[in-house]
mmCIF file of all heavy atoms in Angstrom:
data_model
loop_
_atom_site.group_PDB
_atom_site.id
_atom_site.type_symbol
_atom_site.label_atom_id
_atom_site.label_comp_id
_atom_site.label_asym_id
_atom_site.label_seq_id
_atom_site.Cartn_x
_atom_site.Cartn_y
_atom_site.Cartn_z
ATOM 1 N N PHE I 426 84.088 121.767 98.032
ATOM 2 C CA PHE I 426 85.463 121.493 97.830
ATOM 3 C C PHE I 426 86.417 122.543 98.356
ATOM 4 O O PHE I 426 87.515 122.343 98.787
ATOM 5 C CB PHE I 426 85.715 121.300 96.366
ATOM 6 C CG PHE I 426 87.119 120.985 95.854
ATOM 7 C CD1 PHE I 426 87.593 119.710 96.048
ATOM 8 C CD2 PHE I 426 88.000 121.996 95.421
ATOM 9 C CE1 PHE I 426 88.887 119.431 95.638
ATOM 10 C CE2 PHE I 426 89.274 121.667 95.082
ATOM 11 C CZ PHE I 426 89.717 120.354 95.133
ATOM 12 N N ILE I 427 85.901 123.799 98.422
ATOM 13 C CA ILE I 427 86.760 125.009 98.793
ATOM 14 C C ILE I 427 86.824 125.205 100.275
ATOM 15 O O ILE I 427 87.873 125.355 100.888
ATOM 16 C CB ILE I 427 86.201 126.193 98.151
ATOM 17 C CG1 ILE I 427 86.326 126.188 96.475
ATOM 18 C CG2 ILE I 427 86.939 127.550 98.550
ATOM 19 C CD1 ILE I 427 85.577 127.324 95.773
ATOM 20 N N ILE I 428 85.620 125.203 100.895
ATOM 21 C CA ILE I 428 85.576 125.579 102.294
ATOM 22 C C ILE I 428 86.457 124.732 103.186
ATOM 23 O O ILE I 428 87.110 125.313 104.044
ATOM 24 C CB ILE I 428 84.118 125.603 102.773
ATOM 25 C CG1 ILE I 428 83.353 126.756 102.033
ATOM 26 C CG2 ILE I 428 84.010 125.839 104.267
ATOM 27 C CD1 ILE I 428 81.807 126.693 102.280
ATOM 28 N N PRO I 429 86.476 123.453 103.120
ATOM 29 C CA PRO I 429 87.321 122.646 104.114
ATOM 30 C C PRO I 429 88.827 122.916 103.877
ATOM 31 O O PRO I 429 89.601 122.765 104.785
ATOM 32 C CB PRO I 429 86.940 121.072 103.695
ATOM 33 C CG PRO I 429 85.625 121.165 102.994
ATOM 34 C CD PRO I 429 85.618 122.505 102.288
ATOM 35 N N ALA I 430 89.266 123.496 102.737
ATOM 36 C CA ALA I 430 90.658 123.748 102.531
ATOM 37 C C ALA I 430 91.009 125.068 103.127
ATOM 38 O O ALA I 430 92.150 125.388 103.136
ATOM 39 C CB ALA I 430 90.975 123.751 101.065
ATOM 40 N N GLU I 431 90.008 125.783 103.641
ATOM 41 C CA GLU I 431 90.253 127.088 104.202
ATOM 42 C C GLU I 431 89.943 127.239 105.740
ATOM 43 O O GLU I 431 90.515 128.189 106.447
ATOM 44 C CB GLU I 431 89.395 128.163 103.544
ATOM 45 C CG GLU I 431 89.656 128.301 102.124
ATOM 46 C CD GLU I 431 88.800 129.318 101.391
ATOM 47 O OE1 GLU I 431 87.544 129.329 101.713
ATOM 48 O OE2 GLU I 431 89.250 130.139 100.637
ATOM 49 N N LEU I 432 89.226 126.315 106.357
ATOM 50 C CA LEU I 432 88.837 126.422 107.712
ATOM 51 C C LEU I 432 89.709 125.929 108.820
ATOM 52 O O LEU I 432 89.776 126.277 109.896
ATOM 53 C CB LEU I 432 87.472 125.737 107.951
ATOM 54 C CG LEU I 432 86.205 126.527 107.289
ATOM 55 C CD1 LEU I 432 84.970 125.547 107.548
ATOM 56 C CD2 LEU I 432 85.989 127.814 108.153
ATOM 57 N N PHE I 433 90.477 124.813 108.417
ATOM 58 C CA PHE I 433 91.208 124.123 109.491
ATOM 59 C C PHE I 433 92.594 124.427 109.592
ATOM 60 O O PHE I 433 93.243 125.012 108.623
ATOM 61 C CB PHE I 433 91.108 122.584 109.191
ATOM 62 C CG PHE I 433 89.566 122.173 109.144
ATOM 63 C CD1 PHE I 433 88.881 121.989 107.916
ATOM 64 C CD2 PHE I 433 88.838 121.976 110.292
ATOM 65 C CE1 PHE I 433 87.631 121.647 107.842
ATOM 66 C CE2 PHE I 433 87.507 121.554 110.228
ATOM 67 C CZ PHE I 433 86.907 121.348 108.999
ATOM 68 N N PRO I 434 93.319 124.208 110.773
ATOM 69 C CA PRO I 434 94.689 124.509 110.951
ATOM 70 C C PRO I 434 95.578 123.721 109.988
ATOM 71 O O PRO I 434 95.093 122.676 109.476
ATOM 72 C CB PRO I 434 94.986 123.967 112.356
ATOM 73 C CG PRO I 434 93.600 123.925 113.073
ATOM 74 C CD PRO I 434 92.673 123.659 111.953
ATOM 75 N N ALA I 435 96.739 124.188 109.696
ATOM 76 C CA ALA I 435 97.712 123.595 108.668
ATOM 77 C C ALA I 435 97.915 122.110 108.967
ATOM 78 O O ALA I 435 97.904 121.254 108.038
ATOM 79 C CB ALA I 435 98.973 124.315 108.598
ATOM 80 N N ARG I 436 98.078 121.803 110.273
ATOM 81 C CA ARG I 436 98.434 120.383 110.624
ATOM 82 C C ARG I 436 97.292 119.435 110.484
ATOM 83 O O ARG I 436 97.453 118.140 110.627
ATOM 84 C CB ARG I 436 99.194 120.349 111.887
ATOM 85 C CG ARG I 436 98.327 120.756 113.038
ATOM 86 C CD ARG I 436 99.222 120.926 114.295
ATOM 87 N NE ARG I 436 98.356 121.144 115.529
ATOM 88 C CZ ARG I 436 98.036 120.273 116.391
ATOM 89 N NH1 ARG I 436 98.355 118.968 116.202
ATOM 90 N NH2 ARG I 436 97.291 120.626 117.391
ATOM 91 N N PHE I 437 96.028 119.943 110.397
ATOM 92 C CA PHE I 437 94.887 119.127 110.244
ATOM 93 C C PHE I 437 94.113 119.331 108.932
ATOM 94 O O PHE I 437 93.129 118.659 108.706
ATOM 95 C CB PHE I 437 93.858 119.376 111.356
ATOM 96 C CG PHE I 437 94.334 119.064 112.803
ATOM 97 C CD1 PHE I 437 94.132 119.995 113.782
ATOM 98 C CD2 PHE I 437 95.143 117.953 113.055
ATOM 99 C CE1 PHE I 437 94.642 119.767 115.033
ATOM 100 C CE2 PHE I 437 95.599 117.632 114.300
ATOM 101 C CZ PHE I 437 95.381 118.658 115.361
ATOM 102 N N ARG I 438 94.576 120.228 108.116
ATOM 103 C CA ARG I 438 93.903 120.703 106.923
ATOM 104 C C ARG I 438 93.539 119.577 105.990
ATOM 105 O O ARG I 438 92.415 119.426 105.510
ATOM 106 C CB ARG I 438 94.616 121.886 106.262
ATOM 107 C CG ARG I 438 93.819 122.576 105.156
ATOM 108 C CD ARG I 438 94.501 123.899 104.754
ATOM 109 N NE ARG I 438 94.410 124.774 105.825
ATOM 110 C CZ ARG I 438 95.530 125.525 106.215
ATOM 111 N NH1 ARG I 438 96.685 125.443 105.681
ATOM 112 N NH2 ARG I 438 95.305 126.409 107.224
ATOM 113 N N SER I 439 94.575 118.847 105.583
ATOM 114 C CA SER I 439 94.382 117.764 104.554
ATOM 115 C C SER I 439 93.611 116.662 105.118
ATOM 116 O O SER I 439 92.657 116.131 104.428
ATOM 117 C CB SER I 439 95.743 117.294 104.133
ATOM 118 O OG SER I 439 95.601 116.175 103.236
ATOM 119 N N THR I 440 93.708 116.337 106.480
ATOM 120 C CA THR I 440 92.948 115.234 107.061
ATOM 121 C C THR I 440 91.412 115.717 107.205
ATOM 122 O O THR I 440 90.542 114.901 106.748
ATOM 123 C CB THR I 440 93.482 115.020 108.456
ATOM 124 O OG1 THR I 440 94.884 114.670 108.408
ATOM 125 C CG2 THR I 440 92.596 113.944 109.163
ATOM 126 N N CYS I 441 91.174 116.855 107.527
ATOM 127 C CA CYS I 441 89.747 117.317 107.669
ATOM 128 C C CYS I 441 89.092 117.420 106.284
ATOM 129 O O CYS I 441 87.950 117.049 106.179
ATOM 130 C CB CYS I 441 89.631 118.644 108.366
ATOM 131 S SG CYS I 441 90.124 118.390 110.150
#
Side-chain angles (χ1 to χ4, degrees):
F426 181 80
I427 297 170
I428 292 173
E431 299 179 313
L432 280 176
F433 301 100
R436 64 193 185 92
F437 299 138
R438 186 166 294 133
S439 178
T440 301
C441 291

